[in-house]
């Protein structure tokens, strides 16, 4: 099974059952990852005890009290138990390096790109997430005790099916694998009064007691906030920041106010929120003519526009996007063309130079999950841009220099991955990234902080009956188009 998802697969009007014993590693890992040897530093980081990780971080950041950081890492999220943050390795004008959170995603990809840590753990992170996070905190807390288990998805069938197979093995029962695209004429999975039901090939509908959700494209259009079926992660995690960059920026600010006195901070590009379409050129001018404009609710690299010239600004303004609110962020580029922000300029550290002396922009995806012992890293990988970082931008697209996401729309409207730009945590690619154990630790802590910020806001947005506080949500995200989409 390859990673490309065709329109026919996504629009299939029925779910299929994944039987126990059906997990086959070649179906759920990229061939490069399956055959790779994990780098020793990455293996060491993935196995570090919480105590050693805290001790190292506090040694390098003396203002942070070890007991406080330990309590942060042991935080028990109410909603947001599985996440991935995209991080840039950046430096300041003074040469101070840091890991910068670009965005935080609920239901992220990652396990298909992670080399196996041990030969006898062929299911890798799939098994870890099912055993240590999904089962303890979701399946055993389902509001309904009858019905099956399911994985619903709208892309990334390689990982979605991997989770279904790992779950089937662990619980020793078949698991439904159901496509759930936003435009299905005959849906294979629907929510009926909060209960998820999936349709088999014969047309019979089956109730589901708990489901892992890999629905990433505007999931709130198909999944309600309140569900009787236990959903991992619930859609409120997306609305509070996991798939909503505008609200995520507010969640970071709120949590940073609590963190800063303790020596911690979620580090992000300078972000201007609630920007109307007509205001965008003014804010780009404020950033010195270089900025990033984001549609808050898009993902997979869609809806992100790097603006470095009048031509790119004009092309963006000519687009018909539909939403009413945007965010504008400072752009992190080369030392000669980065945004002017309140904290000064930040620059891409980039990869190690190749034989031609070329350096590429690369980001690091850190996937984490909540366990009974606290947050743990689940998978790590990196992605590089299409063309090298240059001192002076030509007339071409700046996205080719700065964009790292691997998801690409296929000709038939489905999805494929540009795996030529994937950088694994193996003995070869990791050396090219130019990072070490300390950067991995910092990236992990930045990811956990961003997850907690979103989970705290998600908790504040839900009332005692499990329903969305609509007035509060609108005050945070006053976008009529989005509000009309909600299945609240």
């Amino acid at each position: 099974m390859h990673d490309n998802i065709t329109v026919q697969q996504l629009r299939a009007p029925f779910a299929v059952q994944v039987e126990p014993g059906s997990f086959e590693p070649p179906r759920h890992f990229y061939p490069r990852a399956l055959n790779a040897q994990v780098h020793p530093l990455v293996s060491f980081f993935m196995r570090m005890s919480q105590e050693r990780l805290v001790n190292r971080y506090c040694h390098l950041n003396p203002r942070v009290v070890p007991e406080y950081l330990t309590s942060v890492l042991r935080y028990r999220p109410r909603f947001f138990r599985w996440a991935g943050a995209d991080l840039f390795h950046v430096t300041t004008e003074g040469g101070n390096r840091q890991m910068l959170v670009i965005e935080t995603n609920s239901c992220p990809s990652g396990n298909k790109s992670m080399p196996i840590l041990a030969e006898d753990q062929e299911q890798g992170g799939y098994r870890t997430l099912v055993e240590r996070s999904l089962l303890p905190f979701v399946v055993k807390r389902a509001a309904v005790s009858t019905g099956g288990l399911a994985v619903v998805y709208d892309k990334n069938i390689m990982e979605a099916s991997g989770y279904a197979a790992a779950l089937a093995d662990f619980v020793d029962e078949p698991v439904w694998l159901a496509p759930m695209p936003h435009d299905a004429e005959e849906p294979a999975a629907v929510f009926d009064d909060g209960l998820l039901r999936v349709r088999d090939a014969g047309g019979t509908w089956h109730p589901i007691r708990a489901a892992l959700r890999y629905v990433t494209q505007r999931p709130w259009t198909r999944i309600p906030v309140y569900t009787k079926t236990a959903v991992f992660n619930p859609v409120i995690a997306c609305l509070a920041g996991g798939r909503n960059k505008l609200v995520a920026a507010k969640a970071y600010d709120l949590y940073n106010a609590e963190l800063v006195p303790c020596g911690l901070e979620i580090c992000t590009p300078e972000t201007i929120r609630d920007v109307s379409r007509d205001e965008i050129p003014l804010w780009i001018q404020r950033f010195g003519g270089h900025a990033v404009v984001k549609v808050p609710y898009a993902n997979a690299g869609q809806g992100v526009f790097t603006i470095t010239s009048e031509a790119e600004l004009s092309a963006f303004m000519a687009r018909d996007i539909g939403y009413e609110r945007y965010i504008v962020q400072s752009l992190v580029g080369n030392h000669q063309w980065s945004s002017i922000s309140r904290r000064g300029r930040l620059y891409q550290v980039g990869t190690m130079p190749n034989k031609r002396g070329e350096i590429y922009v690369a980001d690091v995806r850190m996937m984490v999950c909540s366990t009974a012992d606290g947050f743990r890293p689940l998978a790590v990988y990196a992605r590089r841009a299409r063309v090298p970082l240059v001192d002076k931008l030509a007339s071409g697209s700046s996205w080719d220099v700065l964009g790292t996401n691997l998801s690409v729309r296929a000709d038939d409207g489905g999805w494929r991955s540009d795996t030529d730009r994937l950088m694994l945590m193996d003995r070869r690619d990791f050396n090219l990234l130019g990072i070490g154990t300390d950067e991995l630790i910092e990236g992990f802590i930045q990811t956990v902080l961003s997850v907690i910020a979103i989970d705290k806001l998600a908790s504040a947005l839900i009332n005692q009956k499990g329903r969305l506080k609509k007035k509060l949500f609108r005050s945070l995200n006053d976008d009529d188009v989005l509000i009309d989409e909600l299945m609240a």
Side-chain angles (χ1 to χ4, degrees):
M1 183 181 295
H2 49 73
D3 190 46
N4 296 352
I5 297 181
T6 66
V7 171
Q8 290 76 18
Q9 284 174 306
L10 276 178
R11 293 180 179 170
F14 58 87
V16 297
Q17 281 195 310
V18 177
E19 299 290 337
S22 63
F23 191 100
E24 298 179 16
R27 296 167 64 91
H28 311 301
F29 291 91
Y30 285 137
R32 284 179 56 203
L34 193 62
N35 298 317
Q37 292 287 326
V38 66
H39 193 282
L41 284 181
V42 178
S43 179
F44 175 75
F45 160 72
M46 296 291 288
R47 291 183 166 94
M48 280 186 76
S49 68
Q50 192 175 85
E51 182 180 9
R52 295 180 73 183
L53 190 150
V54 167
N55 286 343
R56 178 60 178 174
Y57 187 82
C58 292
H59 172 71
L60 297 178
N61 300 271
R63 289 186 56 209
V64 181
V65 178
E67 291 78 11
Y68 183 80
L69 181 56
T70 298
S71 71
V72 167
L73 296 183
R74 290 180 179 173
Y75 173 88
R76 291 287 186 91
R78 181 180 174 189
F79 299 109
F80 203 9
R81 301 184 180 94
W82 166 41
D86 297 333
L87 306 130
F88 277 152
H89 186 204
V90 304
T91 184
T92 66
E93 293 174 292
N96 296 318
R97 296 187 182 187
Q98 62 187 100
M99 300 298 284
L100 198 69
V101 176
I102 303 305
E103 65 181 59
T104 309
N105 297 310
S106 64
C107 314
S109 68
N111 279 317
K112 65 186 177 185
S113 307
M114 183 67 187
I116 299 295
L117 293 177
E119 294 296 331
D120 61 342
Q121 298 175 4
E122 67 171 12
Q123 295 184 357
Y126 294 105
R127 175 78 176 206
T128 302
L129 185 71
V130 166
E131 182 177 0
R132 301 191 63 184
S133 196
L134 171 62
L135 266 296
F137 298 121
V138 177
V139 174
K140 293 181 180 179
R141 299 183 184 181
V144 291
S145 58
T146 59
L149 300 173
V151 173
V152 292
Y153 69 97
D154 64 353
K155 61 177 296 190
N156 197 354
I157 193 171
M158 182 179 284
E159 290 198 26
S161 59
Y163 289 122
L167 179 57
D169 278 353
F170 193 77
V171 298
D172 195 27
E173 68 175 272
V175 173
W176 292 100
L177 180 64
M180 204 177 190
H182 69 90
D183 57 352
E185 295 181 3
E186 296 182 79
V190 296
F191 278 87
D192 179 14
D193 191 28
L195 181 66
L196 176 62
R197 299 180 186 275
V198 301
R199 176 164 47 188
D200 64 25
T204 302
W205 290 92
H206 303 266
I208 301 299
R209 69 183 189 273
L212 182 146
R213 172 180 64 88
Y214 208 102
V215 179
T216 62
Q217 307 290 315
R218 298 183 301 152
W220 48 82
T221 62
R222 285 144 285 164
I223 303 172
V225 171
Y226 172 77
T227 63
K228 295 175 183 176
T229 299
V231 178
F232 182 89
N233 288 311
V235 77
I236 188 60
C238 296
L239 292 172
R243 295 284 167 184
N244 187 336
K245 301 177 183 69
L246 191 154
V247 177
K250 298 181 180 182
Y252 301 156
D253 283 351
L254 290 169
Y255 192 36
N256 271 343
E258 179 182 336
L259 290 173
V260 169
C262 305
L264 292 168
E265 181 184 9
I266 304 169
C267 300
T268 66
E270 184 177 343
T271 303
I272 311 301
R273 309 166 316 210
D274 298 306
V275 179
S276 69
R277 187 179 183 85
D278 292 339
E279 292 179 283
I280 289 174
L282 299 176
W283 286 112
I284 291 175
Q285 183 180 10
R286 148 72 172 76
F287 281 124
H290 301 118
V292 181
V293 180
K294 295 182 178 180
V295 179
Y297 327 114
N299 71 327
Q302 311 300 305
V304 179
F305 305 89
T306 53
I307 309 295
T308 60
S309 66
E310 286 295 330
E312 288 184 327
L313 176 58
S314 298
F316 169 79
M317 296 301 292
R319 289 175 175 265
D320 182 15
I321 295 175
Y323 288 108
E324 298 177 353
R325 290 289 181 266
Y326 301 84
I327 62 173
V328 180
Q329 288 185 323
S330 58
L331 181 144
V332 183
N334 183 272
H335 64 280
Q336 296 189 28
W337 50 271
S338 283
S339 292
I340 303 170
S341 66
R342 291 190 179 93
R343 294 187 176 184
R345 295 178 184 267
L346 294 176
Y347 314 118
Q348 296 280 352
V349 173
T351 63
M352 300 298 290
N354 60 20
K355 292 181 179 179
R356 295 183 294 274
E358 297 169 332
I359 293 174
Y360 288 81
V361 170
D363 70 352
V364 175
R365 162 66 62 83
M366 178 72 66
M367 186 196 289
V368 301
C369 67
S370 173
T371 74
D373 301 320
F375 282 99
R376 293 298 304 169
L378 190 63
V380 190
Y381 68 95
R383 306 166 291 190
R384 69 165 178 82
R386 292 181 178 86
V387 301
L389 192 62
V390 291
D391 290 338
K392 184 176 181 180
L393 280 172
S395 58
S397 169
S398 60
W399 181 252
D400 288 339
V401 180
L402 297 170
T404 57
N405 198 283
L406 305 181
S407 297
V408 180
R409 277 287 190 183
D411 293 337
D412 65 355
W415 293 89
R416 66 178 180 85
S417 292
D418 182 7
T419 55
D420 290 341
R421 296 185 288 111
L422 173 66
M423 301 183 72
L424 302 178
M425 296 297 103
D426 64 0
R427 293 174 181 271
R428 177 182 177 275
D429 286 354
F430 183 76
N431 290 331
L432 301 178
L433 275 178
I435 64 175
T437 308
D438 288 330
E439 285 77 23
L440 289 172
I441 293 173
E442 184 184 353
F444 170 66
I445 290 175
Q446 284 291 312
T447 301
V448 171
L449 293 177
S450 67
V451 171
I452 294 174
I454 292 170
D455 186 74
K456 282 177 172 284
L457 187 54
S459 298
L461 285 168
I462 295 297
N463 63 25
Q464 293 181 346
K465 296 181 179 180
R467 309 284 180 170
L468 178 68
K469 297 179 182 177
K470 294 183 181 180
K471 289 184 179 179
L472 178 58
F473 181 75
R474 181 180 281 277
S475 71
L476 293 169
N477 198 164
D478 190 14
D479 189 326
D480 288 335
V481 178
L482 173 67
I483 298 297
D484 290 343
E485 288 180 347
L486 293 182
M487 288 185 59

